[in-house]
């Protein structure tokens, strides 16, 4: 059906594309990059930026306070610093873990739910990547953001402790092993909260449901473990304590730092292999469920 | 849906004159898809080439199943679906050369069209630098260049529909599958969309398959038509021959009607009286000359001689609910 040429304006900009097509790797990378932008509200309106940046700021506040205290105590009352039991890198995730968990509960669903509720997912399904590539890319973008959000406060704390020390050079020489430790512990907690949040987001229809479910899960399992544990012998309690969703990565954190922190202690008597093994089982099982759900998606 | 209910005597249009498309882009070979006991496609064989093809049929005819099979999103129960000579389920990379525009809403609301299109081009495998250029070009093509930095959530239905078309074109596919592209549009929006579909093919050489249950849209836009019903191909061929062959002629004379009927009968032309008119079905070629001669011979004063191109609506049974636009 040919068109009659009646004073038409031609779109000279549109031409055939002869360049490279980079296939599945480019597709997956694009979904990952878009995940980072979506999570932080970049390229979106102001409203989309509020929550992520509030959480990023909130996660830094405890670190800033610790850093200031650590710095001040040594100067104002050097004698007290030993007695005060200042917060350390090991404690940080036990204290700020809930902020990371909340952040993942808000951002994770943002990465998975709207694509399904808007049915944008169908536009991905018909492109040269598998649905599992899509899910893995979204998960990876969440892990990346959570890792950065977990690391920055630790770096602030390190800065505070180092600059607050009478001899910063000596402090660093004595405590440099904290750096690989908090970097690794940051990855552990980021992977954990991201995977749990991805799982909830995969099955929830709406963002709010997923976020509410995650927060509920965190609080409820902790409460149940607390009350059941109080009624039972220590021997049983340490196993039941593994069910407290929020504490699982903290046990691994304690193993990494080689010291026991206060917030998650019920399961600590268990051997390290069990604690790490349980952490891996939860992460792998949740990840597998996410992939399984996406493998089954079709138009 | 029982395929046996499809009348085997229904005419498969143009079977004897069927020219396979020059360049075959999609091929169905005894393609069958069952969902449990439901047969969505029942051993259909057809080819779709480099043109605009209308995939016409009522709801449940198997249009969406055919699209899914060609996109490699489901495996055929038996038979074979081929895209550019390859099986789409074996290699998802073939989807880099296909575009798909869904019927339903599928756009994110928070992002702007430029960002979304660039992203979709990258997901189709284009490097970011090219993706950005392609996004701008495609938005210009669909007439959204000026609005490209506005969030999609604020667009009108017609604009959203054009973004949907743009995302199907942004990676420069060989073939685009459009699922009910005019759904939900007002008459002027429909015209614009159909014009865009035609322009996409005529100016840029992109082939399109347009699934629709709106006969008018297909008739005005597509060069070839494939009619599916109950999972079977009931008709296929060029749109022009489709409508030509089915032309019905209305003849109104102010007197001497019986003489005209006799003159027509003498020329072996089947005519019937319908109210004030004499109606001749399936008029083509020399029949026009014979009708003219019959009018002269009967000396009947002609008041009106009007062809009525049979619309594609007539291809479906009159009791078919899906004829009504959704």
């Amino acid at each position: 059906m040919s068109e009659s040429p009646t004073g038409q304006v031609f779109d000279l900009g549109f031409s055939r594309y002869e360049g490279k097509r980079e296939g599945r790797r480019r597709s997956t990378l694009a979904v990952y990059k878009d995940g980072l932008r979506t999570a932080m509200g970049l390229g979106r309106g102001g409203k989309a930026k509020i929550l992520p940046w509030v959480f990023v700021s909130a996660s830094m506040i405890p670190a800033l306070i610790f850093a200031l205290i650590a710095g001040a105590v040594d100067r104002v009352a050097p004698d007290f610093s030993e007695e005060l039991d200042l917060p350390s890198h090991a404690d940080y995730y036990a204290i700020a873990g809930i902020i990371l968990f909340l952040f993942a509960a808000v951002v994770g669903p943002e990465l998975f739910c709207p694509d399904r509720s808007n049915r944008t997912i169908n536009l991905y399904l018909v492109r040269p990547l598998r649905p599992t590539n899509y899910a893995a890319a979204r998960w990876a973008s969440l892990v990346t953001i959570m890792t950065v959000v977990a690391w920055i406060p630790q770096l602030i704390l390190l800065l505070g402790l180092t600059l607050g020390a009478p001899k910063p050079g000596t402090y660093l020489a004595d405590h440099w092993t904290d750096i690989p430790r908090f970097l690794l512990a940051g990855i552990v907690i980021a992977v954990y909260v991201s995977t749990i949040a991805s799982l909830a987001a995969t099955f929830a229809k709406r963002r709010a449901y997923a976020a509410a479910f995650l927060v509920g899960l965190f609080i409820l399992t902790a409460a149940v473990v607390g009350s059941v544990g109080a009624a039972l012998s220590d021997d049983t309690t340490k196993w039941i304590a593994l069910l407290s969703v929020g504490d699982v990565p903290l046990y691994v954190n304690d193993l990494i730092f080689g010291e026991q922190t206060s917030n998650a202690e019920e399961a600590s008597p268990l051997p390290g292999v069990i604690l790490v093994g349980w952490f891996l089982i939860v992460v792998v099982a949740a990840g597998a469920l996410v992939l399984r759900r996406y493998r089954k998606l079709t138009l | 849906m029982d395929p046996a209910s499809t009348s085997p005597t229904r005419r498969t249009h143009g079977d004897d004159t069927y020219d396979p498309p020059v360049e075959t882009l999609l091929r169905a070979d005894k393609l069958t898809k069952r969902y449990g006991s439901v047969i969505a496609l029942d051993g259909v064989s057809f080819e779709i080439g480099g043109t605009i093809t209308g995939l016409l049929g009522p709801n449940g005819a198997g249009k969406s199943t055919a699209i899914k099979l060609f996109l490699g999103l489901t495996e055929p129960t038996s038979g074979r679906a081929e895209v550019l000579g390859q099986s789409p389920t074996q290699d998802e990379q073939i989807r880099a050369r296909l575009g798909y525009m869904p019927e339903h809403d599928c756009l994110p609301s928070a992002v702007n069209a430029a960002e979304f299109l660039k992203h979709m081009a990258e997901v189709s495998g284009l490097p970011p630098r090219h993706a950005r250029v392609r996004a701008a070009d495609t938005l210009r093509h669909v007439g959204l260049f000026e609005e490209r930095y506005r969030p999609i959530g604020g667009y009108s239905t017609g604009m959203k529909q054009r973004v949907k078309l743009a995302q199907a074109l942004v990676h420069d596919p060989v073939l685009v599958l459009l699922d009910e592209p005019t759904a939900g549009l007002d008459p002027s929006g429909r015209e614009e969309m159909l014009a865009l579909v035609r322009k996409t093919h005529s100016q840029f050489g992109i082939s399109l398959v347009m699934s629709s249950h709106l006969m008018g849209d297909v008739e005005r836009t597509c060069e070839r038509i494939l009619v599916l019903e109950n999972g079977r191909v009931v008709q296929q061929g060029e749109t022009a021959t489709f409508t030509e062959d089915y032309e019905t002629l209305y003849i109104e004379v102010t007197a001497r009607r019986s003489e005209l009927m006799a003159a027509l009968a003498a020329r072996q032309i089947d005519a019937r009286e319908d109210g004030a008119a004499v109606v001749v079905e399936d008029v083509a070629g020399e029949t026009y000359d014979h009708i003219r001669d019959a009018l002269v011979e009967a000396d009947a004063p002609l008041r009106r001689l009007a062809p009525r191109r049979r619309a594609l609506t007539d291809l479906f049974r009159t009791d078919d609910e899906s004829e009504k636009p959704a």
Side-chain angles (χ1 to χ4, degrees):
Chain A
M1 235 166 259
S2 58
E3 296 250 301
S4 53
T6 50
Q8 208 166 359
V9 176
F10 283 86
D11 297 335
L12 297 173
F14 194 93
S15 53
R16 303 308 302 255
Y17 176 71
E18 307 290 346
K20 219 171 146 194
R21 290 175 195 269
E22 298 179 334
R24 191 138 56 98
R25 262 182 62 186
R26 171 60 64 192
S27 301
T28 311
L29 186 65
V31 177
Y32 169 77
K33 256 174 40 187
D34 179 68
L36 297 180
R37 292 176 65 78
T38 306
M40 301 315 294
L42 305 176
R44 279 104 186 124
K47 246 171 72 184
K49 292 184 182 69
I50 297 173
L51 269 181
W53 292 102
V54 162
F55 273 104
V56 169
S57 318
S59 70
M60 289 180 195
I61 290 171
L64 278 171
I65 295 169
F66 291 176
L68 286 173
I69 293 172
V73 163
D74 267 334
R75 283 165 204 279
V76 177
D79 301 338
F80 271 121
S81 61
E82 289 301 312
E83 292 167 39
L84 255 180
D85 189 21
L86 283 170
S88 67
H89 294 290
D91 297 325
Y92 189 77
Y93 293 129
I95 295 160
I98 180 72
I99 298 173
L100 293 174
F101 202 86
L102 276 173
F103 188 22
V106 170
V107 173
E110 180 69 37
L111 290 176
F112 286 91
C113 295
D115 275 354
R116 288 202 320 277
S117 60
N118 296 334
R119 302 211 253 186
T120 312
I121 189 71
N122 288 350
L123 303 181
Y124 292 99
L125 294 176
V126 300
R127 283 182 154 76
L129 82 168
R130 296 174 190 160
T132 46
N133 299 145
Y134 167 89
R138 285 293 203 225
W139 171 84
S141 42
L142 185 56
V143 170
T144 306
I145 284 169
M146 293 314 301
T147 304
V148 172
V149 173
W151 281 351
I152 291 176
Q154 290 276 25
L155 290 167
I156 293 174
L157 186 58
L158 179 73
L159 208 65
L161 291 169
T162 308
L163 296 178
K167 288 179 182 165
T170 319
Y171 178 87
L172 265 187
D174 291 345
H175 294 87
W176 71 269
T177 53
D178 279 348
I179 300 170
R181 281 183 176 145
F182 74 64
L183 292 179
L184 180 62
I187 293 172
V188 164
I189 194 152
V191 166
Y192 183 83
V193 295
S194 301
T195 313
I196 299 285
S198 300
L199 178 64
T202 295
F203 287 92
K205 224 169 179 175
R206 298 175 62 127
R207 271 169 290 179
Y209 299 162
F213 171 78
L214 283 165
V215 174
L217 191 73
F218 187 94
I219 295 170
L220 264 181
T221 53
V224 167
V225 166
S227 55
V228 171
L232 296 169
S233 70
D234 279 357
D235 208 38
T236 324
T237 306
K238 66 184 180 195
W239 290 98
I240 289 177
L242 290 177
L243 297 177
S244 177
V245 173
D247 291 343
V248 176
L250 299 182
Y251 295 122
V252 181
N253 176 77
D254 289 359
L255 288 170
I256 291 169
F257 284 98
E259 55 184 274
Q260 158 96 60
T261 54
S262 55
N263 283 28
E265 53 193 1
E266 291 91 342
S268 297
L270 289 171
V273 179
I274 301 227
L275 295 172
V276 174
W278 177 240
F279 165 83
L280 290 175
I281 287 171
V282 173
V283 167
V284 171
L289 280 172
V290 171
L291 293 181
R292 200 180 114 96
R293 162 93 160 120
Y294 271 85
R295 193 174 294 128
K296 286 187 169 179
L297 275 187
T298 185
L299 286 186
Chain B
M1 203 177 302
D2 182 9
S5 68
T6 317
S7 161
T9 58
R10 286 193 74 183
R11 181 175 169 192
T12 296
H13 178 82
D15 254 358
D16 45 348
T17 57
Y18 175 69
D19 298 321
V22 182
E23 179 199 3
T24 302
L25 301 177
L26 302 181
R27 175 182 284 126
D29 185 17
K30 300 192 183 78
L31 191 58
T32 300
K33 180 69 188 176
R34 288 167 194 270
Y35 295 103
S37 60
V38 179
I39 302 176
L41 276 181
D42 189 12
V44 294
S45 297
F46 58 83
E47 289 179 3
I48 287 175
T51 177
I52 310 180
T53 306
L55 197 56
L56 197 56
N59 294 333
K63 303 187 299 277
S64 301
T65 305
I67 288 178
K68 269 194 219 175
L69 285 162
F70 285 121
L71 287 167
L73 298 174
T74 181
E75 291 270 0
T77 310
S78 66
R80 195 174 155 81
E82 272 181 19
V83 177
L84 308 172
Q86 290 179 46
S87 164
T89 46
Q90 277 162 19
D91 185 7
E92 72 267 358
Q93 293 312 310
I94 200 73
R95 294 206 287 259
R97 312 313 301 271
L98 293 179
Y100 171 64
M101 174 184 171
E103 176 188 359
H104 50 71
D105 289 340
C106 59
L107 302 174
S109 51
V111 285
N112 62 55
E115 164 128 4
F116 177 64
L117 266 269
K118 175 181 178 280
H119 170 56
M120 279 297 150
E122 283 186 45
V123 180
S124 289
L126 268 60
R129 191 165 49 88
H130 293 293
R132 188 178 301 112
V133 176
R134 291 286 314 173
D137 287 355
T138 315
L139 284 167
R140 191 182 291 115
H141 170 57
V142 300
L144 287 174
F145 192 70
E146 301 297 324
E147 292 91 350
R148 68 192 187 282
Y149 293 124
R150 273 175 50 196
I152 295 171
Y155 283 7
S156 69
T157 311
M159 289 162 83
K160 283 182 182 166
Q161 206 70 355
R162 281 185 274 159
V163 177
K164 276 162 63 177
L165 178 66
Q167 66 75 32
L169 298 173
V170 71
H171 52 293
D172 190 23
V174 176
L175 178 80
V176 179
L177 301 161
L178 312 171
D179 201 351
E180 304 274 359
T182 56
L185 295 179
D186 59 21
S188 69
R190 260 172 78 175
E191 281 312 317
E192 280 172 24
M193 178 51 68
L194 296 177
L196 262 178
V197 169
R198 287 192 294 265
K199 188 170 112 175
T200 301
H201 179 62
S202 64
Q203 291 183 13
F204 310 115
I206 295 174
S207 301
L208 303 103
V209 174
M210 183 174 128
S211 110
S212 180
H213 66 279
L214 297 174
M215 325 307 167
D217 288 2
V218 169
E219 199 175 3
R220 272 176 295 162
T221 314
C222 302
E223 292 170 10
R224 294 187 73 84
I225 296 174
L226 187 83
V227 184
L228 283 176
E229 200 179 319
N230 289 338
R232 288 184 169 176
V233 177
V234 288
Q235 325 217 4
Q236 59 178 318
E238 305 276 338
T239 312
T241 52
F242 248 83
T243 43
E244 254 175 32
D245 279 11
Y246 280 86
E247 189 158 280
T248 300
L249 208 58
Y250 279 76
I251 308 163
E252 277 182 45
V253 288
T254 49
R256 300 178 64 81
R257 200 152 76 163
S258 51
E259 284 83 349
L260 175 62
M261 290 296 285
L264 289 169
R267 288 169 174 79
Q268 276 91 43
I269 295 171
D270 242 352
R272 63 185 163 82
E273 295 185 60
D274 181 5
V278 171
V279 180
V280 185
E281 305 269 8
D282 291 353
V283 182
E286 289 185 352
T287 318
Y288 288 105
D289 299 340
H290 296 317
I291 291 170
R292 178 201 59 207
D293 296 347
L295 279 162
V296 173
E297 187 188 292
D299 197 20
L302 183 65
R303 187 173 164 207
R304 180 166 163 255
L305 180 74
R308 185 174 76 91
R309 267 165 61 122
R310 265 177 70 156
L312 288 167
T313 322
D314 301 339
L315 297 176
F316 294 103
R317 295 191 197 90
T318 46
D319 60 354
D320 197 330
E321 270 302 300
S322 63
E323 272 183 23
K324 293 168 194 150

